[in-house]
Amino acid sequence: MRTSGRGDEFATSLPLSLNLFFFLPRPTPPPPPPPPPPQTKNQKKKKTQKKKKTSSQLARKFHPDVNKEPGAEDKFKQISNAYEVLSDDQKRPIYDRFGEAGLKGGGPGGFGGGGAGGASDFNNPFDIFEQFFGGGMGGGGGMGGAGGMGGQQQRQRSSRPTPGSDERHDLTLEFGEAVFGCSKEVDVSRLEACEPCSGSGVKAGTSPSRCGTCGGQGQVVQAVRTPLGAFQQVLTCPACEGAGETSTPCSACAGDGRVRRSKRISLRVPPGVDAGSRLRVRGEGSAGRRGGEPGDLYVFVRVREPAGGKARLRREGTTIHSDVDVSYVDAILGTTVLVDTVDGNVDLKVPPGTQPGTTLVMSKRGVPKLGAAAGVRGDHHVHVRVTIPTKVGGEERKLVEQLREATKAAPAAGKKGWL
């Protein structure tokens, strides 16, 4: 039985293809992919450690003191900011949700607080380079003071032990002392631990307390509003100067924990030192702050020119040079001369027929080799200068003329000049 409903009229008036489209069952959409399994705390920790290790390796590679290529400093700053975020459990989730804008205060909640009391747990990104390069990177915030969060980071005065500085002393030696070594007593001015406060810098009978301004962090966050938006700066706490604690300073050392004193040190100068040599005495520099390792003492050597008979001696490394004058007769016939050496006067045989400018070598009469085994020495080079008289008269002239006639009569083949 046929009905004449409105729906039937609409269905029968459509083409067959469209009619089938409306009445065929539609395919079911595929189910969404299952969410990835949540990472365990151990997996997250390993992933963070791997990122930190990669950041530290890149930071060392692009450190301006190591990499002199253009643009290395900018990459170093970017890596430092990344390391800072990875080191902070509060910043890392903010960056994951809102990106860099969240760290600059552009995301919901921003970073930290708006005033000095809003300082968060801030890890100094430059601490990693203190491990590589042995101490601070100089003043001024390190590499221009570039910090994260769009602000300027200042170097804080760490409350950790810091090594002491190296000291320099200039020492003047005599020529013989430099050649054979000696023992010297030197007075060195250096910083030593303050006795009243035992090097702590805190007044005896008192103890340091946690800084109320920064909450012991040593840094405060300051918000600055500009037409471009709000910016935040991480600054050294003005109350504790970055130490994180306040105390009553010791009156003897003014809170530094060290005082400058002079100390006499026994120094052993090894054989073979020369002008410009540098001797290092470990642990005899200035004392470190807060129990840090002491620095070293560097002794720079100067050598006086030899006096007296040794004034004719010249040194060139481990070789000694000197000149000796012989007459033309001794140069022809040969002789023995007395030569002044670093060991005293030594006889030197001049062979017959010695020519002007001849160099005679006295083996192992030079300077001991620095750092070598005993007995290892250089040589002494003696340069022969033949003296020829400007005027010859009397009997000497007759003898020279006879010698000339004798040399003319001798066979000329293979003969060399006698001077």
Side-chain angles (χ1 to χ4, degrees):
M1 180 176 179
R2 181 179 181 183
T3 61
S4 59
R6 186 176 180 181
D8 293 337
E9 293 178 358
F10 175 73
T12 55
S13 63
L14 290 175
L16 179 61
S17 59
L18 292 178
N19 196 7
L20 294 174
F21 174 77
F22 280 105
F23 292 99
L24 289 176
R26 296 188 180 182
T28 305
Q39 291 184 340
T40 62
K41 184 179 293 186
N42 199 17
Q43 289 176 329
K44 292 181 179 180
K45 184 178 180 180
K46 288 183 178 180
K47 189 175 181 181
T48 303
Q49 289 177 348
K50 184 177 180 181
K51 290 181 179 180
K52 288 183 179 180
K53 183 178 180 180
T54 304
S55 299
S56 64
Q57 291 174 348
L58 292 174
R60 187 177 184 183
K61 176 181 178 182
F62 291 102
H63 191 279
D65 292 343
V66 177
N67 194 330
K68 302 299 182 182
E69 296 181 0
E73 182 175 348
D74 294 336
K75 292 182 180 179
F76 169 73
K77 294 177 181 178
Q78 296 174 3
I79 296 168
S80 300
N81 293 340
Y83 178 80
E84 172 194 325
V85 174
L86 292 174
S87 302
D88 196 308
D89 294 335
Q90 296 180 3
K91 296 179 193 175
R92 191 166 59 250
I94 295 176
Y95 182 83
D96 292 339
R97 291 186 61 189
F98 306 107
E100 189 175 358
L103 297 177
K104 292 182 178 180
F111 163 63
S120 66
D121 185 12
F122 180 82
N123 290 329
N124 195 331
F126 293 94
D127 285 346
I128 182 176
F129 303 105
E130 294 183 1
Q131 301 174 7
F132 292 140
F133 302 104
M137 295 169 55
M143 298 316 305
M149 293 74 68
Q152 181 181 8
Q153 175 191 344
Q154 298 181 2
R155 290 288 289 164
Q156 65 176 4
R157 187 185 69 182
S158 175
S159 58
R160 299 175 301 173
T162 56
S165 59
D166 298 329
E167 297 293 339
R168 170 176 177 153
H169 182 80
D170 295 325
L171 179 64
T172 302
L173 301 175
E174 300 295 339
F175 186 81
E177 293 176 334
V179 171
F180 295 108
C182 61
S183 296
K184 288 288 185 179
E185 298 285 335
V186 296
D187 293 323
V188 180
S189 177
R190 63 181 189 175
L191 292 173
E192 297 182 357
C194 177
E195 295 181 358
C197 65
S198 301
S200 65
V202 181
K203 183 179 179 180
T206 65
S207 58
S209 58
R210 185 177 182 181
C211 178
T213 303
C214 64
Q217 299 298 322
Q219 295 172 321
V220 294
V221 179
Q222 182 183 40
V224 179
R225 298 191 177 277
T226 68
L228 300 177
F231 294 88
Q232 291 179 332
Q233 293 178 312
V234 179
L235 305 175
T236 301
C237 177
C240 64
E241 298 181 356
E245 56 186 23
T246 58
S247 60
T248 303
C250 172
S251 58
C253 61
D256 184 67
R258 303 172 299 175
V259 292
R260 185 163 290 277
R261 294 193 183 98
S262 180
K263 179 182 178 181
R264 175 158 291 188
I265 298 175
S266 297
L267 178 66
R268 174 61 185 170
V269 180
V273 297
D274 200 357
S277 296
R278 186 183 69 173
L279 307 178
R280 179 183 182 183
V281 186
R282 294 184 179 273
E284 292 296 348
S286 291
R289 297 185 72 252
R290 299 180 180 270
E293 293 291 331
D296 298 329
L297 172 64
Y298 288 91
V299 180
F300 290 80
V301 177
R302 300 174 181 173
V303 180
R304 290 194 182 99
E305 292 296 327
K310 289 185 172 56
R312 303 171 67 180
L313 300 182
R314 304 181 302 276
R315 178 177 175 180
E316 185 178 331
T318 59
T319 304
I320 297 293
H321 297 267
S322 66
D323 301 324
V324 64
D325 296 329
V326 298
S327 67
Y328 70 98
V329 177
D330 290 335
I332 297 172
L333 302 178
T335 185
T336 300
V337 295
L338 198 64
V339 178
D340 188 19
T341 69
V342 293
D343 298 316
N345 294 329
V346 178
D347 289 332
L348 174 65
K349 184 178 180 180
V350 180
T354 299
Q355 301 298 309
T358 298
T359 299
L360 304 178
V361 178
M362 304 176 70
S363 180
K364 295 186 178 181
R365 292 287 184 179
V367 180
K369 187 175 181 181
L370 182 63
V376 180
R377 298 178 58 176
D379 300 328
H380 187 145
H381 291 187
V382 180
H383 306 279
V384 178
R385 298 186 301 190
V386 178
T387 59
I388 301 175
T390 57
K391 293 181 180 180
V392 179
E395 188 68 22
E396 184 178 4
R397 185 177 183 84
K398 292 180 181 180
L399 294 174
V400 173
E401 289 177 350
Q402 292 177 4
L403 180 61
R404 182 173 61 182
E405 294 297 329
T407 55
K408 287 181 179 180
K415 294 290 286 184
K416 295 182 179 180
W418 50 275
L419 281 181

